[in-house]
Amino acid sequence: MGLKLYYNTFSQPSRAVYLFLKLNNIPFEKKIVNLMAGEHKKDEYKKINPLSLVPVIDDNGFIVRESVGILRYLVREKNLPDHWYPKDSLAQARVDEYLEWQHVGLRIHLAMFVRVKKLFPMMTGKPPASNLLERSLKETVNSCNTFEKIYLSSDKKFLFGNELSIADLMAAMELEQPQMAGYDPREGRPKLASYLENVRAATNPHYDEVCEVIYSFLESKS
């Protein structure tokens, strides 16, 4: 049966998992879920993921439905290099610390900003409420500032050293997303800009491939 990936590159975690599979030369069958058409809400997809979310992997009948869990599972099951998710307890704890923080420390704010400024208006035909947009932007700015101050405080290329970890893929894909709503976290943050360039350089051409949805969106608005 092999490995199947249910995903959509509009989704930040989907991009992270897709990028990880490509970087590690793990063969997989692409199962694109059309989010705009509501495929993730249909009964057929709910049999795979009752939560109606992407990404999901089906590894020879074993289904994993959450991006961080997927990445940890793949590192273990595919016997991948240790730098992705270290076996050493202390090094692993640092990666886990970030992965737990990013859900509410980064992802929720950056994703909500895109929803408030772009997605909700597209769906409703109405502009966002000014107070909601202002608050969402403020939370996005604060989250990016915290990320740079706390997680990019060393002179290492990546979050936890000079080799990539799964935390870097999750972080980079989240940080790219708000560009779709006109906000680039790189601006005014030289460490963050350098960090993203390091991740991009280390993972291309696959990085640009998964971010094509963002680049295309930006070009269509220019």
Side-chain angles (χ1 to χ4, degrees):
M1 292 174 61
L3 179 71
K4 298 176 184 177
L5 172 66
Y6 295 83
Y7 74 105
N8 188 298
T9 54
F10 190 86
S11 152
Q12 307 91 301
S14 284
R15 294 199 299 268
V17 173
Y18 184 100
L19 182 54
F20 181 83
L21 290 169
K22 286 286 192 175
L23 290 169
N24 287 286
N25 298 309
I26 299 173
F28 66 98
E29 181 180 349
K30 299 177 181 179
K31 294 286 188 178
I32 300 174
V33 181
N34 190 332
L35 302 178
M36 298 303 291
E39 284 185 3
H40 57 305
K41 300 289 187 180
K42 295 181 178 179
D43 290 342
E44 183 178 355
Y45 185 72
K46 285 186 176 182
K47 294 176 183 177
I48 300 164
N49 188 359
L51 298 173
S52 297
L53 299 172
V54 290
V56 172
I57 62 166
D58 181 342
D59 190 14
N60 291 298
F62 183 71
I63 294 175
V64 187
R65 302 185 178 98
E66 199 280 328
S67 55
V68 172
I70 289 170
L71 293 171
R72 288 170 175 157
Y73 167 82
L74 290 171
V75 172
R76 294 191 303 268
E77 294 300 310
K78 307 304 179 182
N79 194 29
L80 298 178
D82 191 62
H83 64 84
W84 285 113
Y85 187 58
K87 295 182 179 68
D88 175 79
S89 179
L90 300 185
Q92 187 179 110
R94 289 299 179 218
V95 175
D96 284 337
E97 176 188 291
Y98 174 77
L99 291 172
E100 298 300 332
W101 172 82
Q102 61 99 22
H103 291 293
V104 296
L106 190 70
R107 173 171 170 71
I108 193 172
H109 302 302
L110 275 60
M112 183 55 68
F113 174 68
V114 175
R115 290 185 181 186
V116 169
K117 188 171 181 181
K118 288 295 179 183
L119 298 187
F120 291 162
M122 286 173 59
M123 292 186 291
T124 65
K126 300 178 181 179
S130 58
N131 61 331
L132 182 59
L133 180 59
E134 182 179 350
R135 185 176 74 220
S136 181
L137 177 59
K138 182 179 179 180
E139 290 170 344
T140 293
V141 170
N142 289 341
S143 294
C144 292
N145 287 343
T146 298
F147 177 85
E148 184 178 58
K149 180 180 178 181
I150 302 299
Y151 289 100
L152 301 181
S153 58
S154 72
D155 59 355
K156 303 291 176 57
K157 289 179 64 176
F158 306 115
L159 288 178
F160 303 109
N162 291 315
E163 290 186 288
L164 288 165
S165 73
I166 58 175
D168 292 296
L169 304 188
M170 294 295 291
M173 292 303 103
E174 293 294 343
L175 290 164
E176 291 286 2
Q177 194 78 351
Q179 290 188 84
M180 300 183 83
Y183 182 79
D184 189 347
R186 297 171 178 80
E187 293 181 5
R189 300 184 183 90
K191 285 186 177 180
L192 194 152
S194 178
Y195 166 72
L196 283 179
E197 184 53 39
N198 288 340
V199 177
R200 181 173 180 244
T203 60
N204 254 341
H206 307 303
Y207 191 101
D208 284 346
E209 178 189 353
V210 296
C211 288
E212 179 60 31
V213 63
I214 297 173
Y215 305 151
S216 296
F217 188 86
L218 291 173
E219 290 173 3
S220 70
K221 299 299 179 182
S222 62

